[in-house]
Amino acid sequence: MEAEKFTGPNAVPTSSGTKAKIDRAGPSGLGAARGRAAHLILDRPKIFEDPLAFRILGAETEAKLRSGLERLQTPARRSLRAFIAARSRYVEDELARAIERDVRQYVILGAGFDTFAYRNPFGETLARVFEVDHPSTQASKLRRLEKAAIPIPKSVTFVAVDFETQALSDALMRSGFRSDEPAFFSCLGVFRNLSLKAVLSVLTSVVASASAGSELVFSFPFEPSPLRRIFGPAYRAMINLAGRRIDFRAAYFDPSSLVSDLKRMGFVDAQILGPKEMNALYCAERADGLRVREPSGLLKARL
């Protein structure tokens, strides 16, 4: 499908009109791991528990995190932490339901420093876990796993892909992925760092690679307001000139058209969870006020 016919994600140019180059081994994956770790020590009750989060971060990062807990209690950081916990919980809840339907392949797109494969509660029932990410990110993760003495199960396959320049479908086929068997795909915190072309490539690769009955859950940023689109590039340029690199949001989504766009691509069913739905699932009974307020959502689609 041609990019101009896909109305969901839209490119947001930099002030120079070109796409900013993303360091795919950069802070986004570590930020998610820090969010999961902070949730462990700050929030009661837990939405999601990742007992390996601190180990993969390392002792130095853990010390910095614990020494700055007050900074993590601002409204914005609490909201982001709630979103990180909720999206991880939702993905693993949906994976459990897929396994009940005899799905035996799990593909983590943009795996970053995700730890599911190393605390897998399903054992041999989940035969294969494919961790897909940029080669430099995977190299960093392997070093951290070794330093933390976290063993790598035989079920794990690392699939090195640069989503901006390589086809996911080709890499999956080379890795031993079974296209004749259903699979469960997750993609959290990834699309906000990719160009429109790369987002389309990932989605079409899932359609081309997976069999009927496969599912995909991904997180996505909502369409920014007009003011954010106008002033966002100038703000990013100012921050970058100051030497503080930030991730560039190259694509955003319009939830009102996203479901129909995905159906045109080949998905037979899709549903969106926004902050309201995530809060109803995971935050309704909380007394501490932890809520998802991020302008982001989750989408579950089925082939």
Side-chain angles (χ1 to χ4, degrees), residues 222-245:
F222 291 160
E223 180 177 5
S225 67
L227 283 177
R228 186 174 180 180
R229 272 180 272 167
I230 292 169
F231 293 110
Y235 173 75
R236 286 191 294 270
M238 178 183 70
I239 294 296
N240 288 331
L241 283 173
R244 295 171 53 200
R245 186 202 159 277

Side-chain angles (χ1 to χ4, degrees), residues 109-126:
L109 302 174
F113 300 96
D114 185 276
T115 66
F116 170 83
Y118 316 99
R119 51 179 173 78
N120 175 10
F122 305 106
E124 295 181 358
T125 303
L126 185 59

